[in-house]
């Protein structure tokens, strides 16, 4: 499984004159969790649907282990669609068995898997209930079980966390982490950026059908504007204004936030701060994923 | 690993099996089957009692008229009327019995001056039989007066015959054949519509619950279509089998149906073939229609043309066949798919369609089915993932 990698390579899709995806590219390796973020309509769902063969791309290629993905290899993807879909009048176990069989499992194996996953996701008591009688959160668990029960080699989940209570979020996170650690590449989209930041090894930010940022959380945060917060209680307003490449953003109660231009020396800033008196804190402020995302969205609005 | 690659046929079979499992166990199936059996039982019951009570007349004879009992029975029988006679002690008792409906007719008086009493009116057959008897009495009297032996004359007269040659011999079992033909048509039509509609609803259920997206990530659209149609078709066949089995057994037991069992078997087997042809033709079209809409409320608008294409040939068959089994219109319709599966089985059961017509019609229907499957696969594949408003048929055909 060393070369288990899902590659989305320059995939484009248009609906008439509306461009949904433009040269979308990223890859997810074994044991890696990839978070897919972007505002509504940015192209996340379209990308996932194309990867699952539910939608066809205008151009570009999806590869699994270096080979273009086929109908046969797609069966090894566990998929959780954005529009949750289960038969409302079918019982939980029957439903899971049916879907796993369609993915190529024998009936006996499908039964075992259905039992295993309903137990793991805390649905044992609901096994023989019709899906429509379950709470939304439980329906969501069944949906996840449907994606996992056929022992997939890749997981593609569209908004798996939406609508879940904190306990369910923890269960879901743990399951995904376990799957990922067992060597399964996991891709999921989410609007819960704090969750993405915490869970994902790598993050891709999409805007208007294009990938605008893609890297580890650390890389992305480091790529943001270079800001420093200085706590020098005796410093007066405007103490850093004369320094080259330094722009003051705020100064409240001796706490100053400045932005350094590319190539500006933070040591010069530190010396200037010490000149004002004692310095209690000198911290590089790294943007959170939420801030990065907001920047991207703002750029989109401005564009 | 526990996973194997799913063969094409296994995919279709899994889908079909799910339809079978979930539908046969559903309340709708059980109740529906029971309801049809009740309707069929009522139909057979009516046939049974109508067959018993029709053309049976009870005639009370009193006094001298009693001697005419046997001749009356004989001549009424020759006219196709079943007459039973009883002897009534006197006219007054007879009158009362007629009033109470115990007797249909009271015959009294001397043989040459018969008096007939009925409640409202005298049936034509009984009237003709009595007329004949009265005239015979008069004739006998005249013959005796002329010195001839009435008995000898009667024998001579009875011996005068003519030979009849028929170009199309009448089928004495036509009535029963008609009953079977109507039954077959009714069942086929009912099943086609009911289970055809179930196909459309099933497709829309998958679309509206969005489970379709999950399904199509593991089976191809045509496999889903084929499995669905096959599964629901088998459910329909099962129901029709139960109903036809119960109906035929009851009809044979009650003596309503006396056709040779071989002929019945042929009718049943051909009905099964026609059911499959007809069901698949309609089901594929219903699936296609269902794939165009996303909500159950919108189904009616898309299936309406299909409904009409089934209702019209059905009504035409039902109205025309008893009056004019050899109708040219029905003959033509029985060749044109998708009408043929509704019209031809009745014509075949009635024995008015020669074997070659049945075979040609079946081949045409099968050919149309192949074409429709191709078409439906295309439309279904293109339309089934589009949710929201109704997809235009033209767009579904055109999209790649």
């Amino acid at each position: 499984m060393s070369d288990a990698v899902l590659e989305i390579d320059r995939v484009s899709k248009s609906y008439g004159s509306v461009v949904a995806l433009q040269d979308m590219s990223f890859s997810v390796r074994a044991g890696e969790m990839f978070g897919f973020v972007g505002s509504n309509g940015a192209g996340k769902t379209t990308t996932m649907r194309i990867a699952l063969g539910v939608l066809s791309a205008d151009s570009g290629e999806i590869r699994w282990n270096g080979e273009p993905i086929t109908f046969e290899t797609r069966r090894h993807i566990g998929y959780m669609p954005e529009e949750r879909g289960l038969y409302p009048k079918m019982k939980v176990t029957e439903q899971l068995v049916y879907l796993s069989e369609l993915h190529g499992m024998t009936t006996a194996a499908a039964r075992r898997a259905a039992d295993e996953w309903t137990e793991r996701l805390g649905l044992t008591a609901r096994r023989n209930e019709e899906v429509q009688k379950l709470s939304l959160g439980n329906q969501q668990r069944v949906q996840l079980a449907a994606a996992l029960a056929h022992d997939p080699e890749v997981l593609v989940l569209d908004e798996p966390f939406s609508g879940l209570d904190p306990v369910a979020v923890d269960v879901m996170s743990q399951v995904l982490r376990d799957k990922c650690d067992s060597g399964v590449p996991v891709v999921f989209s989410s609007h819960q950026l704090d969750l993405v930041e915490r869970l994902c090894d790598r993050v891709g930010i999409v805007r208007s059908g294009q990938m605008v940022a893609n890297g580890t959380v650390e890389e992305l945060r480091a790529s943001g504007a270079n800001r420093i917060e200085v706590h020098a209680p005796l410093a007066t307003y405007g103490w850093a204004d004369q320094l080259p490449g330094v722009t003051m953003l705020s100064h409240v109660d001796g706490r100053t936030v400045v932005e350094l231009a590319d190539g500006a020396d933070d040591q010069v800033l530190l010396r200037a701060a010490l000149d004002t008196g004692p310095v209690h804190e000198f911290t590089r402020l790294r943007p959170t994923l939420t801030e990065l995302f907001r920047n991207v969205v703002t750029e989109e609005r401005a564009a | 690993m526990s996973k194997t690659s799913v063969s094409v046929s296994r995919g279709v079979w899994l889908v079909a099996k799910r339809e079978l499992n979930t539908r046969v166990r559903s309340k709708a199936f059980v109740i529906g089957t029971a309801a049809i059996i009740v309707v069929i039982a009522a139909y057979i019951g009516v046939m049974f009692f109508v067959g018993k009570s029709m053309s049976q007349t009870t005639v009370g004879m009193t006094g001298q008229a009693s001697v005419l009992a046997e001749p009356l029975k004989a001549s009424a029988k020759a006219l196709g009327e079943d007459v039973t006679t009883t002897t009534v002690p006197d006219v007054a008792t007879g009158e009362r019995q007629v009033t109470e409906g115990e007797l249909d007719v009271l015959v009294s008086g001397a043989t040459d001056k018969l008096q007939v009493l009925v409640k409202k009116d005298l049936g034509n057959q009984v009237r003709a039989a009595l007329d004949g008897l009265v005239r015979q009495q008069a004739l006998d009297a005249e013959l005796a007066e002329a010195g001839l032996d009435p008995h000898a004359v009667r024998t001579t007269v009875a011996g005068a015959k003519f030979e009849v040659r028929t170009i199309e011999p009448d089928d004495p079992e036509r009535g029963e054949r008609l009953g079977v033909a109507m039954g077959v048509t009714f069942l086929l039509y009912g099943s086609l519509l009911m289970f055809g509609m179930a196909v459309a609803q099933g497709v829309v259920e998958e679309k509206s619950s969005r489970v379709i997206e999950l399904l199509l990530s593991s089976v191809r659209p045509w496999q889903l279509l084929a499995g669905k149609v096959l599964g629901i078709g088998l459910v329909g066949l099962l129901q029709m089998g139960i109903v036809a089995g119960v109906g035929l057994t009851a009809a044979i037991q009650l003596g309503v149906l006396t056709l040779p069992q071989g002929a019945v078997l042929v009718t049943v087997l051909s009905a099964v073939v026609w059911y499959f042809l007809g069901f698949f033709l309609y089901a594929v079209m219903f699936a296609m229609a269902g794939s165009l809409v996303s909500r159950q409320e919108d189904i009616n608008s898309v299936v309406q043309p299909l409904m009409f294409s089934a209702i019209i040939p059905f009504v035409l068959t039902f109205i025309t066949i008893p009056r004019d089994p050899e109708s040219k219109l029905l003959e033509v319709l029985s060749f044109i798919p998708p009408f043929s599966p509704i019209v031809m089985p009745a014509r075949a059961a009635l024995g008015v369609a020669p074997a070659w017509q049945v075979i040609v019609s079946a081949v045409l229907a099968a050919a149309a089915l192949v074409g429709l499957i191709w078409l439906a696969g295309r439309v279904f594949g293109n339309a089934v993932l589009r949710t929201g408003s109704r997809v235009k048929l033209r767009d579904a055909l055109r999209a790649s």
Side-chain angles (χ1 to χ4, degrees):
Chain A
M1 280 267 216
S2 59
D3 60 342
V5 53
L6 178 71
E7 292 167 275
I8 314 291
D9 188 11
R10 283 165 296 154
V11 171
S12 298
K13 172 84 184 173
S14 309
Y15 296 101
S17 59
V18 182
V19 179
L21 287 182
Q22 200 183 343
D23 288 332
M24 170 66 69
S25 298
F26 63 91
S27 58
V28 191
R29 285 164 205 294
E32 198 172 60
M33 204 181 292
F34 187 86
F36 209 25
V37 301
S39 37
N40 297 324
K44 304 183 298 286
T45 298
T46 308
T47 309
M48 293 189 178
R49 285 184 166 177
I50 289 172
L52 263 297
V54 172
L55 214 61
S56 62
D58 296 340
S59 64
E61 199 173 58
I62 313 282
R63 282 189 296 274
W64 169 239
N65 293 341
E67 301 281 323
I69 204 156
T70 63
F71 184 74
E72 207 42 58
T73 45
R74 273 201 186 100
R75 284 190 207 269
H76 303 296
I77 305 181
Y79 178 40
M80 183 165 176
E82 179 192 28
E83 309 271 10
R84 306 290 180 248
L86 295 167
Y87 288 100
K89 287 182 190 161
M90 221 172 158
K91 290 173 184 164
V92 172
T93 301
E94 283 175 16
Q95 187 128 229
L96 293 176
V97 170
Y98 174 58
L99 292 171
S100 297
E101 282 182 314
L102 283 183
H103 277 93
M105 274 189 152
T106 61
T107 310
R111 281 190 190 290
R112 270 198 306 279
D115 284 348
E116 184 192 323
W117 281 104
T118 43
E119 193 184 325
R120 197 147 161 206
L121 294 171
L123 292 165
T124 308
R126 308 258 178 261
R127 260 176 206 174
N128 291 316
E129 277 182 37
E130 287 179 5
V131 168
Q132 63 182 0
K133 295 190 178 143
L134 302 184
S135 67
L136 285 177
N138 278 338
Q139 290 189 10
Q140 186 115 324
R141 289 175 198 226
V142 179
Q143 194 83 51
L144 179 68
L148 290 164
H150 60 90
D151 196 12
E153 293 170 15
V154 191
L155 272 178
V156 176
L157 314 167
D158 204 348
E159 304 273 356
F161 296 101
S162 73
L164 290 184
D165 64 48
V167 178
V169 166
D170 289 345
V171 173
M172 179 89 72
S173 315
Q174 194 52 49
V175 167
L176 295 190
R177 195 68 253 175
D178 291 350
K179 264 287 159 192
C180 194
D181 291 344
S182 71
V184 172
V186 177
V187 186
F188 74 87
S189 67
S190 181
H191 289 301
Q192 280 144 289
L193 299 173
D194 52 329
L195 203 66
V196 173
E197 193 168 346
R198 205 172 69 222
L199 273 177
C200 293
D201 303 300
R202 289 202 306 134
V203 177
I205 303 180
V206 231
R207 191 187 65 205
S208 312
Q210 282 176 297
M211 187 69 89
V212 288
N214 176 1
T216 64
V217 176
E218 290 308 305
E219 279 166 8
L220 287 183
R221 290 180 60 185
S223 73
N226 198 359
R227 287 177 188 183
I228 291 175
E229 185 182 79
V230 185
H231 187 199
L234 300 179
T236 52
Y237 187 84
W239 62 271
D241 285 358
Q242 303 307 317
L243 300 171
V246 174
T247 317
M248 190 189 71
L249 297 175
S250 67
H251 179 86
V252 180
D253 291 342
R255 286 184 182 269
T256 312
V257 178
V258 299
E259 184 165 324
L260 295 185
D262 284 344
D265 190 351
D266 55 359
Q267 296 309 309
V268 174
L269 179 69
L270 177 58
R271 253 173 254 129
L274 283 167
D275 288 346
T276 66
V279 174
H280 297 315
E281 274 178 45
F282 188 85
T283 322
R284 163 153 281 164
L285 284 185
R286 297 206 302 172
T288 61
L289 193 57
T290 313
E291 284 165 325
L292 280 172
F293 179 73
R294 207 164 279 142
N295 288 343
V296 165
V297 175
T298 321
E299 279 172 48
E300 178 181 25
R301 295 244 170 79
Chain B
M1 239 180 122
S2 55
K3 228 184 259 190
T4 52
S5 85
V6 181
S7 70
V8 166
S9 54
R10 179 160 158 85
V12 172
W13 172 239
L14 283 171
V15 176
K17 196 176 74 176
R18 193 197 82 86
E19 297 294 344
L20 262 173
N21 278 342
T22 52
R23 283 175 197 276
V24 171
R25 283 182 299 173
S26 74
K27 270 188 212 136
F29 179 80
V30 176
I31 295 171
T33 310
I36 300 173
I37 289 176
V38 168
V39 170
I40 300 267
Y43 178 67
I44 291 172
V46 167
M47 294 279 277
F48 180 69
F49 288 110
V50 166
K52 275 234 142 148
S53 63
M54 237 178 46
S55 69
Q56 232 209 21
T57 313
T58 316
V59 181
M61 317 289 259
T62 180
Q64 241 188 64
S66 305
V67 298
L68 292 176
E70 286 312 309
L72 176 62
K73 270 200 246 179
S75 59
K77 192 164 185 168
L79 290 166
E81 182 81 10
D82 200 2
V83 167
T84 50
T85 55
T86 56
T87 311
V88 180
D90 54 64
V91 178
T93 318
E95 272 189 29
R96 205 191 42 190
Q97 286 182 344
V98 170
T99 316
E100 285 167 1
E102 220 169 294
L103 287 178
D104 295 310
V105 183
L106 174 71
V107 181
S108 58
T111 49
D112 56 349
K113 218 172 170 190
L114 284 184
Q115 295 208 325
V116 175
L117 178 77
V118 291
K119 196 169 182 183
K120 281 221 169 86
D121 65 340
L122 185 59
N124 283 336
Q125 259 84 351
V126 182
R127 178 188 293 273
L130 285 169
D131 265 351
L133 284 181
V134 173
R135 285 184 194 144
Q136 190 67 54
Q137 297 291 326
L139 193 58
D140 284 0
E142 291 295 320
L143 284 173
E145 210 160 295
L148 290 171
D149 175 12
H151 188 73
V153 172
R154 237 190 274 173
T155 315
T156 317
V157 171
K161 276 187 180 163
F162 54 89
E163 194 187 334
V164 182
R165 287 193 306 137
T166 43
I167 291 169
E168 288 176 19
D170 193 25
D171 180 356
E173 288 157 346
R174 174 151 281 193
E176 284 186 24
R177 282 186 201 282
L178 187 65
V180 173
M182 302 291 248
V184 166
T185 308
F186 180 75
L187 267 184
L188 279 175
Y189 162 81
S191 291
L192 292 190
L193 277 198
M194 198 157 70
F195 290 96
M197 195 64 191
V199 171
Q201 282 166 341
V203 171
V204 176
E205 184 199 14
E206 279 167 5
K207 270 190 89 168
S208 64
S209 71
R210 315 279 187 158
V211 74
I212 191 85
E213 202 170 316
L214 213 50
L215 297 177
L216 290 189
S217 66
S218 54
V219 288
R220 294 184 193 281
W222 73 262
Q223 285 178 301
L224 187 61
L225 175 79
K228 201 161 207 43
V229 168
L230 186 69
I232 298 180
L234 288 174
V235 176
L237 187 67
L238 179 70
Q239 183 174 69
M240 217 175 70
I242 295 172
V243 169
V246 170
L248 284 176
T249 312
I252 290 169
Q253 292 298 321
L254 285 174
V256 173
L257 190 69
T258 56
L259 287 176
Q261 308 228 330
V264 173
L265 193 68
V266 169
T267 305
V268 168
L269 285 181
S270 74
V272 169
V273 172
W274 280 113
Y275 169 77
F276 268 112
L277 281 173
F279 174 77
F280 286 141
L281 274 172
Y282 275 93
V284 163
M285 291 192 290
F286 271 107
M288 191 155 67
S291 72
L292 297 176
V293 297
S294 315
R295 295 178 306 164
Q296 298 286 355
E297 304 94 274
D298 296 334
I299 289 188
N300 284 339
S301 65
V302 281
V303 299
Q304 218 152 44
L306 293 175
M307 290 290 205
F308 280 121
S309 77
I311 292 170
I312 292 169
F314 168 71
V315 169
L316 279 176
T317 308
F318 226 77
I319 294 176
T320 316
I321 270 239
R323 284 187 298 128
D324 181 14
E326 270 142 80
S327 149
K328 262 280 169 260
L329 175 67
L330 288 189
E331 187 171 342
V332 172
L333 278 183
S334 70
F335 280 102
I336 306 174
F339 311 125
S340 46
I342 296 175
V343 183
M344 188 54 105
R347 295 188 66 230
L350 208 53
V352 290
W356 72 265
Q357 285 195 357
V358 180
I359 292 165
V360 168
S361 168
V363 170
L364 283 178
L369 181 59
V370 172
L372 259 180
I373 288 176
W374 176 83
L375 190 75
R378 196 179 159 84
V379 169
F380 189 83
N382 284 327
V384 82
L385 281 170
R386 293 206 214 166
T387 48
S389 60
R390 179 180 163 177
V391 182
K392 287 206 182 77
L393 186 59
R394 208 185 312 140
D395 293 346
L397 276 172
R398 201 172 33 201
S400 55

